[in-house]
């Protein structure tokens, strides 16, 4: 649910990049951050402990002028991917307005994709969020590596809700912007419908 700041006339929307460890969530966020004009973004913040890392930054896109007289500000978060950080991932989902599920296309990482997706569904359920109703985009990352699963298999096993999905090579920026534009479009559409 977006946070509305009446004093600054801003609507703050939270987008979370969720996926298994080393799937490319951080790479996506850093690529986006590096390609947004400095005057439209805040500082990138890394919350790091000895064993996990979460990235956060916010920005105001220039294409989105306003929603009912309010500026829209997007806050982008990554989650720690390793399964032992389930509590951190759940906490980051609190108040989420849209999710990008970043899957690792490598065959040997498929079980991790499935486990992480199940974990995400359960965490959303605990916040009374139905995955079928929240803006959601799937990204099949690392398409340039050997031993990758066909997109049809990834789509069948992960994208059970027939949501928009994109192939990506995030470390080269391929598919990153397309994924990002789609999730922001969905979040804005939901926001405009509900205001």
């Amino acid at each position: 649910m977006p946070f509305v700041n009446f004093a600054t006339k801003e609507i703050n929307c939270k987008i979370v990049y969720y996926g298994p460890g080393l799937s490319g969530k951080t790479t996506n966020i850093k690529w986006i951050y590096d390609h947004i004009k400095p005057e439209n973004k805040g500082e990138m913040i890394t919350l790091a402990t000895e064993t996990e890392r979460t990235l956060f930054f916010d920005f105001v896109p220039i294409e989105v002028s306003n929603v009912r007289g309010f500026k829209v500000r997007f806050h982008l978060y990554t989650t720690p991917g390793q399964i032992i950080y389930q509590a951190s991932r759940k906490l980051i989902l609190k108040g989420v307005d849209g999710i990008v599920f970043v899957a690792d296309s490598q065959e040997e990482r498929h079980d991790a994709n499935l486990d992480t997706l199940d974990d995400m569904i359960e965490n959303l359920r605990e916040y009374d969020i139905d995955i079928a109703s929240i803006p959601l985009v799937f990204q099949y990352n690392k398409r340039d590596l050997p031993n990758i699963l066909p997109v049809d298999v990834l789509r069948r096993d992960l994208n059970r809700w027939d949501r928009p999905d994109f192939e990506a090579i995030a470390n080269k920026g391929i598919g990153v912007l397309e994924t990002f534009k789609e999730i922001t479009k969905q979040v804005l559409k939901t926001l405009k419908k509900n205001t």
Side-chain angles (χ1 to χ4, degrees):
M1 173 128 196
F3 172 74
V4 179
N5 184 333
F6 290 96
T8 61
K9 293 196 64 96
E10 285 185 345
I11 300 172
N12 295 274
C13 299
K14 183 177 186 177
I15 296 174
V16 174
Y17 280 67
Y18 205 102
L22 305 176
S23 62
K25 301 175 302 293
T26 298
T27 304
N28 268 273
I29 293 278
K30 284 184 173 180
W31 193 93
I32 294 165
Y33 185 83
D34 288 343
H35 290 84
I36 291 176
K37 292 181 180 180
E39 61 271 18
N40 292 335
K41 65 184 175 186
E43 183 181 349
M44 183 177 295
I45 299 168
T46 304
L47 306 173
T49 66
E50 193 173 299
T51 54
E52 69 176 282
R53 176 181 59 176
T54 299
L55 291 178
F56 160 80
F57 82 94
D58 67 325
F59 76 100
V60 179
I62 47 176
E63 313 88 56
V64 180
S65 55
N66 67 62
V67 174
R68 300 194 189 257
F70 284 73
K71 241 185 335 183
V72 177
R73 179 177 297 273
F74 290 103
H75 299 263
L76 276 60
Y77 290 79
T78 62
T79 58
Q82 294 74 13
I83 203 76
I84 60 171
Y85 301 118
Q86 197 273 344
S88 295
R89 288 197 310 273
K90 179 181 174 188
L91 185 60
I92 291 167
L93 280 177
K94 187 172 187 167
V96 68
D97 298 301
I99 300 170
V100 173
F101 188 89
V102 181
D104 189 324
S105 293
Q106 297 174 94
E107 186 174 1
E108 61 270 20
R109 299 293 295 150
H110 197 50
D111 285 343
N113 289 328
L114 294 168
D115 291 344
T116 304
L117 180 61
D118 290 343
D119 174 68
M120 182 183 83
I121 293 166
E122 181 57 34
N123 287 336
L124 289 171
R125 199 175 286 138
E126 290 187 32
Y127 288 124
D128 292 322
I129 299 171
D130 179 9
I131 193 166
S133 65
I134 191 163
L136 174 65
V137 176
F138 285 86
Q139 183 188 85
Y140 311 122
N141 193 24
K142 303 187 179 184
R143 298 304 297 166
D144 58 332
L145 296 182
N147 204 29
I148 58 172
L149 290 168
V151 170
D152 289 346
V153 171
L154 292 166
R155 188 174 284 137
R156 178 196 70 213
D157 293 352
L158 299 172
N159 191 356
R160 304 168 206 156
W161 304 271
D162 196 30
R163 297 301 187 87
D165 55 14
F166 299 89
E167 295 182 56
I169 305 170
N171 63 353
K172 295 179 180 172
I174 297 170
V176 173
L177 192 55
E178 295 84 352
T179 302
F180 177 65
K181 282 182 176 180
E182 178 61 31
I183 193 61
T184 56
K185 182 176 91 175
Q186 286 186 36
V187 168
L188 285 170
K189 182 178 178 182
T190 301
L191 179 62
K192 288 175 180 177
K193 185 175 77 172
N194 294 334
T195 56

